[in-house]
Amino acid sequence: MAALLRGSRLLLLKWDKHVDLVHVSTRSMASKTPVGFIGLGNMGSPMAKNLLRNGYPVIATDVFPESCKGLLDLGAQVVDSPAEVAEKADRIITMLPSSPNVIDVYTGPNGILKKVKKGTLLIDSSTIDPSVSKEMAVAAEKMGAVFMDAPVSGGVGAASMAKLTFMVGGVEEEYNAAQELLTCMGANVVYCGQVGSGQAAKICNNMLLAIGMIGTAETMNLGIRLGLDPKLLAKILNMSSGRCWSSDTYNPVPGVMEGVPSANNYQGGFGATLMAKDLGLAQNTATNTKTPIPLGSLAHQIYRVMCSRGYANKDFSSVFQFLREEE
Amino acid sequence: MAALLRGSRLLLLKWDKHVDLVHVSTRSMASKTPVGFIGLGNMGSPMAKNLLRNGYPVIATDVFPESCKGLLDLGAQVVDSPAEVAEKADRIITMLPSSPNVIDVYTGPNGILKKVKKGTLLIDSSTIDPSVSKEMAVAAEKMGAVFMDAPVSGGVGAASMAKLTFMVGGVEEEYNAAQELLTCMGANVVYCGQVGSGQAAKICNNMLLAIGMIGTAETMNLGIRLGLDPKLLAKILNMSSGRCWSSDTYNPVPGVMEGVPSANNYQGGFGATLMAKDLGLAQNTATNTKTPIPLGSLAHQIYRVMCSRGYANKDFSSVFQFLREEE
Amino acid sequence: MAALLRGSRLLLLKWDKHVDLVHVSTRSMASKTPVGFIGLGNMGSPMAKNLLRNGYPVIATDVFPESCKGLLDLGAQVVDSPAEVAEKADRIITMLPSSPNVIDVYTGPNGILKKVKKGTLLIDSSTIDPSVSKEMAVAAEKMGAVFMDAPVSGGVGAASMAKLTFMVGGVEEEYNAAQELLTCMGANVVYCGQVGSGQAAKICNNMLLAIGMIGTAETMNLGIRLGLDPKLLAKILNMSSGRCWSSDTYNPVPGVMEGVPSANNYQGGFGATLMAKDLGLAQNTATNTKTPIPLGSLAHQIYRVMCSRGYANKDFSSVFQFLREEE
Amino acid sequence: MAALLRGSRLLLLKWDKHVDLVHVSTRSMASKTPVGFIGLGNMGSPMAKNLLRNGYPVIATDVFPESCKGLLDLGAQVVDSPAEVAEKADRIITMLPSSPNVIDVYTGPNGILKKVKKGTLLIDSSTIDPSVSKEMAVAAEKMGAVFMDAPVSGGVGAASMAKLTFMVGGVEEEYNAAQELLTCMGANVVYCGQVGSGQAAKICNNMLLAIGMIGTAETMNLGIRLGLDPKLLAKILNMSSGRCWSSDTYNPVPGVMEGVPSANNYQGGFGATLMAKDLGLAQNTATNTKTPIPLGSLAHQIYRVMCSRGYANKDFSSVFQFLREEE
């Protein structure tokens, strides 16, 4: 009964597509094999909970054991190391802050690959350098396992409501198996190509997002200085060729839109630090492939300076505030 | 009957709003007072023709008299100077390449203001520095005339099909009078505020457009280098926060979309030179108002370098080609 | 004999402040015709005083009459307007904040050109747009006067010690006459070519200076982050191809050099606001001549943002502090 | 006495090529232990030859055995792999194109560390990421060997004439031993600090060099457009605060200086590709240390675009030509 209720909540959360999820998830509870989950931070925790809610037993671990508490209360099994997860689950999801953590969790002394079973499906949802994803895939293949990269777009809210978008890279034959799990945690799952291409797509999107956001902030600021009303200017841009997601969905100017970080003193949302990190990845991949990205590089530098000047934890749309004349 | 046919064509061209334009235009042919039109280049000519088609007698002039030929054949009266236009019409539209031309046509020795009648409505559709628009408005006011700026977005095709967008700045009481004429030449007419704010809106839009276009070109190029399929990458961006007009409507990568300059070797469209000019205006207004526009400045520089390297007359989306590794 | 004495005095004046200035100036007062001086701000005041010290009677004016007090005490005659200066002197020096002030002082209702005598030598030491210098020269020529631009490099200290560098543009035949006065106020006088070329040289130098300074700040900061000792790094750069004035003469890192603003919390020196102004002039001339200046543009934007973030009045070498991680 | 002679010979060697090199090297051959040299490209070959000329027996290898021919003729012993070099020499110098080559030569299956003797001194003169230098040092230490980084400044000419500058990082106690060899190949040897700091100094210098060069090119181009004579402008900059190595020693404008690549159609010198590589290293270290380098990043992008547009093999001062309007 509790499961039933939980299931129906899920149904609503996902604004679902006419599928009797409640029935499905209750029925399959008994028959599902466990899923490993490593990395229970702000994003990983709600993601793992959504697996539980969909009836998957979860075997979890984190370098900070206290992070696992919430999941333990919901019935997950908590173990001591990635290696131990690998002993007990043949599908494992990792959600970690950066490349070195991923390398350690997979190939470190207590890493997954020390104990991984042949045929295990490894899905890494961290946002990291695509070349590291490729290295992990090679290392996994040597052990007879399959590695896919599946970074997400969407923040903590989307993670809680299972509305993330997953961009997936890896061998196509395993995509369906990955999709089964990812749809429990996200609203969109997109197959992008070979290993690393999920990361590539994520990095590309966020680079263009950063450019569009800074561009929108500059443009709105210039228009305001020239005497235009901000709401009117946003309206004109949005019906013209200047239109972009940052102008029509996430406008950085206080007072133009509601329900966005600019309406809330740039709290919440996607921090400037995180944007700087993703732009650093874009820069690294561009440098390594000798690809010119003049605006992407400058966007990176602007967010890097912002982090030095007290904007690290504000939403990335606060670049509007950063560029404005001080009062 | 000819008028009737012409009218109905117009109706179709404008995908109109349930108005019996045919009837209106035929009936008012006789009773309409003439409209002056100065500057019959690639844009001005089709605009003036649309006034004629809407039943307005047109008094035209251009520094290159041969430019007036097409209009003459359609029944316009061609005169020798802006001053002469001002003697014969109390509504005048100007469409000129740049600020110095506007200054000359209005305040030069044979300029409009030498002969302008009190109460004349002057509408400048050139794209120029907003501060020049303000100067012209002051000069016009001294002569008892009213000056409005009404730059357009949309190219030669939109001008021919009367589908331009006009961004209008000037005293609000005169807006209706301006709108009457502008709707003959455009599909959208937006009131932006005081004199100069039409220019401000235009400049802001094009700056954000340039940033979005270069950003899209960099992003698509990086993604392709990282192994992503260009169409798939465009699709992912367009369903995500990287979405912008340049990615979803005017993609710069050959093969991603049809009917755009990138599908036609970057011919037609909006030339890099024109974009560089508009970015120069954005830069000037930003410098003068002490507004930081880091990405806008860099976009300006990139189009300026492109003009130096053989891209002057290619569509501005050719920045994708400019940034690619040479074969 | 007097000339001989005056010459040797002058020589001393520039390098030695322990000179009987009063005696010199009193004695030669009789034989010299008066020089007009308009604009007695931080720079203009000490410059005009050096004219007095060299025996030139000075006719001065300023929009803020109180600025003239110090000069009045030293024996200058203070009048009410530029026009009045022009009535009384046939050599006039102007030192004003920006282009609009220059336009007003020369061509305004009480401007110099309202009363200028034929043959008058007009020397403008303001830093302004070269195109405005050219306009002023044309306007002066119409009145039979000669206009030269002679902007300075060097700050308030150099102005006080008559150690400024003047970069002079104008007709070559008048250069000697200008040089006679300018050597009283500066250590170097360089003839640059036609009218406006003094401004051009000044703007070019300051643009390269800004680029070198930001570059040095970035480089020193990066080296420090990588574990290098700042003094050692400066030494290495200065013996290598990274060497520039900002690294070897005006190093922006506290502790590397003495006697520079970085050793004094970035007080004194050349304010970020002034650098932003000069870079705005560089940007304007570049935009107008369609010259690409990617690093110059970005340097401009960086100083513009710095002005928005509280660095307006700090020396321009404080860009090092601006780029550093906050404590 | 032999040491005395050797010393005076060395002194001459650096400034005079008319020296009886054969005699010197033959005589001292007996008393010196062999030095390994790995990587005999354009730089490595003349460096190794200078070791031979100074009387050091050389044990050499290269992935392209034909590269060793010249050295073989001069009496060097050529072996098959880095491992074999390590068996035969306890001082080894490496000079390789990039990080992956260094990693392979040290830690690969036939790498130095497979056979290195305890106490061996390993000196890497490649220009690579400082973090790779640190990794190599750790790996070497595990085998009881000592690793130092000693990248050079100066090109093929300086390598031939033993006039390179070496920037050395590593444990201070081993510096003298390194210096003994490096002085045979260079005119300046600078100790920079812990391992990796030689690379750091090199990267920092070249980043500032690139910024200064592009800045000089922009400035000279702008000045020329504004009507200034290029030689006069260079002279003014060089006596003012715009002065830098690129303006006073390596001016990028044809006709301003002799004996530099700009006087020879930008042939020879330091190719744009190599500058782009070094700027990529600067960018990587800056990204990894979260250091903002806005001008450094843009300089990187400009050289990257130049490489895409046909300037890859021209001297890096050809940025002046890249930015000029096409004829």
Side-chain angles (χ1 to χ4, degrees), chain C residues 110-149:
Chain C
N110 290 307
I112 291 170
L113 298 185
K114 281 284 179 292
K115 299 278 187 180
V116 75
K117 291 181 272 190
K118 272 196 205 306
T120 297
L121 175 62
L122 303 165
I123 301 175
D124 180 36
S125 284
S126 319
T127 295
I128 60 169
D129 195 309
S131 66
V132 174
S133 301
K134 287 178 191 167
E135 285 173 32
M136 294 303 104
V138 169
E141 200 181 3
K142 282 184 188 160
M143 308 301 294
V146 173
F147 176 95
M148 303 186 92
D149 56 308

Side-chain angles (χ1 to χ4, degrees), chain B residues 228-250:
Chain B
L228 292 169
D229 173 76
K231 280 193 172 183
L232 175 66
L233 175 55
K235 191 183 137 199
I236 293 171
L237 296 173
N238 292 340
M239 60 186 265
S240 309
S241 48
R243 167 178 60 78
C244 61
W245 185 87
S246 297
S247 69
D248 69 16
T249 302
Y250 205 89

Side-chain angles (χ1 to χ4, degrees), chain C residues 42-233:
Chain C
N42 291 334
M43 292 294 290
S45 273
M47 288 167 68
K49 285 176 189 168
N50 280 324
L51 285 174
L52 280 172
R53 283 177 189 137
N54 277 274
Y56 292 94
V58 168
I59 319 278
T61 195
D62 193 281
V63 278
F64 300 109
E66 62 272 30
S67 308
C68 303
K69 178 124 202 342
L71 219 59
L72 193 65
D73 295 348
L74 289 175
Q77 180 183 354
V78 175
V79 298
D80 284 342
S81 70
E84 210 171 322
V85 172
E87 284 182 314
K88 299 188 174 173
D90 59 6
R91 292 179 292 181
I92 303 175
I93 295 167
T94 51
M95 187 60 175
L96 301 158
S98 65
S99 297
N101 306 290
V102 171
I103 292 170
D104 189 53
V105 159
Y106 281 87
T107 65
N110 290 307
I112 291 170
L113 298 185
K114 281 284 179 292
K115 299 278 187 180
V116 75
K117 291 181 272 190
K118 272 196 205 306
T120 297
L121 175 62
L122 303 165
I123 301 175
D124 180 36
S125 284
S126 319
T127 295
I128 60 169
D129 195 309
S131 66
V132 174
S133 301
K134 287 178 191 167
E135 285 173 32
M136 294 303 104
V138 169
E141 200 181 3
K142 282 184 188 160
M143 308 301 294
V146 173
F147 176 95
M148 303 186 92
D149 56 308
V152 304
S153 97
V156 172
S160 300
M161 297 173 71
K163 291 178 72 177
L164 294 169
T165 294
F166 288 92
M167 287 157 274
V168 185
V171 285
E172 200 159 4
E173 306 85 72
E174 303 289 338
Y175 177 60
N176 283 347
Q179 201 178 17
E180 179 198 329
L181 298 179
L182 298 176
T183 49
C184 301
M185 302 180 285
N188 290 299
V189 184
V190 186
Y191 181 66
C192 299
Q194 60 182 15
V195 164
S197 59
Q199 300 294 351
K202 167 80 186 281
I203 285 170
C204 283
N205 183 71
N206 281 17
M207 184 173 90
L208 187 49
L209 169 60
I211 292 169
M213 178 53 80
I214 302 175
T216 302
E218 292 179 13
T219 300
M220 292 297 297
N221 191 26
L222 178 60
I224 293 167
R225 293 277 187 107
L226 296 177
L228 292 169
D229 173 75
K231 280 194 172 183
L232 176 65
L233 175 55

